[in-house]
Amino acid sequence: MPTPTKGPRLGGSPSHEKMMLANLSASLFEHRSITTTVTKAKRLRPYAERLITIAKKGDLAARRQVVGKISAKNSTNQAIVHELFTVIAPAMAQREGGYTRITKIGNRKGDNAPMAVIELVMEPVSPKQAVVKEAEQAAAAPVEEEPVEEVAEDTQVEEVTEETPAEETPAEETSEEIEDK
């Protein structure tokens, strides 16, 4: 059994909190960005990212898990689950995590609650991250040594002598022409 989160629950009871997180994640997948309190956004982030990770598998068992978490009893939530599997998960295929972004936007006017925007990061992985990932994979891969070609003893190597006349470079010619003028 997982340990409960520290501090008070968002809605009072565990079942209310689960339903609130399910509804928030459904709204996040539907609209790609939602505005909520900072506390709810911080609690929503691991829940939504876990659902995206499950959806990246793409099989029937994964779809059933997501439907179980987001109560997809109505047609709207069924459409959201379908969109999660067909649009969002393939867009996140190159990412290994960090599917959401939380941006604080100040306090709410009525009760001065700190507000935040939580949104899906739909941009492709940056080239810098791809280079770092390739470097890590290269460091982890075993280094293959290339065979060294041996030179036969009877082969003669031609020696370069200084007797060959050095050709003047165009840069030297231009500097001499400038000196003459």
Side-chain angles (χ1 to χ4, degrees), residues 25-32 48 51-52 70 80 83-84 88:
S25 62
S27 296
L28 178 64
F29 298 144
E30 182 180 8
H31 301 291
R32 307 282 197 281
L51 291 178
I52 294 171
I70 299 174
I80 292 169
E83 186 176 350
L84 174 63
I88 297 172

Side-chain angles (χ1 to χ4, degrees), residues 91-124:
M92 304 287 185
Q94 298 299 321
R95 286 190 180 276
E96 295 182 3
Y99 310 121
T100 58
R101 176 187 303 136
I102 297 175
T103 308
K104 296 180 182 179
I105 58 171
N107 295 340
R108 187 163 45 200
K109 188 173 183 178
D111 60 353
N112 206 26
M115 299 298 286
V117 172
I118 183 167
E119 58 188 349
L120 295 176
V121 180
M122 298 298 286
E123 298 92 27

Side-chain angles (χ1 to χ4, degrees), residues 42-170:
K42 286 182 179 180
R43 296 291 285 275
L44 174 62
R45 173 181 249 170
Y47 189 86
E49 289 191 2
R50 195 169 302 119
L51 291 178
I52 294 171
T53 303
I54 293 169
K56 281 172 56 174
K57 294 178 187 174
D59 57 350
L60 181 62
R63 187 176 292 265
R64 287 181 177 165
Q65 278 184 316
V66 171
V67 167
K69 301 257 185 199
I70 299 174
S71 57
K73 295 179 181 172
N74 58 15
S75 61
T76 306
N77 282 358
Q78 289 175 352
I80 292 169
V81 170
H82 178 71
E83 186 176 350
L84 174 63
F85 276 82
T86 58
V87 178
I88 297 172
M92 304 287 185
Q94 298 299 321
R95 286 190 180 276
E96 295 182 3
Y99 310 121
T100 58
R101 176 187 303 136
I102 297 175
T103 308
K104 296 180 182 179
I105 58 171
N107 295 340
R108 187 163 45 200
K109 188 173 183 178
D111 60 353
N112 206 26
M115 299 298 286
V117 172
I118 183 167
E119 58 188 349
L120 295 176
V121 180
M122 298 298 286
E123 298 92 27
V125 179
S126 70
K128 181 179 178 183
Q129 292 172 340
V131 169
V132 170
K133 186 176 178 181
E134 289 176 5
E136 290 173 355
Q137 289 176 352
V143 178
E144 297 180 12
E145 295 183 14
E146 296 181 10
V148 178
E149 297 180 14
E150 296 181 16
V151 178
E153 293 179 14
D154 57 319
T155 341
Q156 295 179 356
V157 179
E158 295 180 19
E159 293 182 14
V160 178
T161 59
E162 294 182 16
E163 296 175 7
T164 57
E167 297 180 12
E168 293 183 14
T169 60

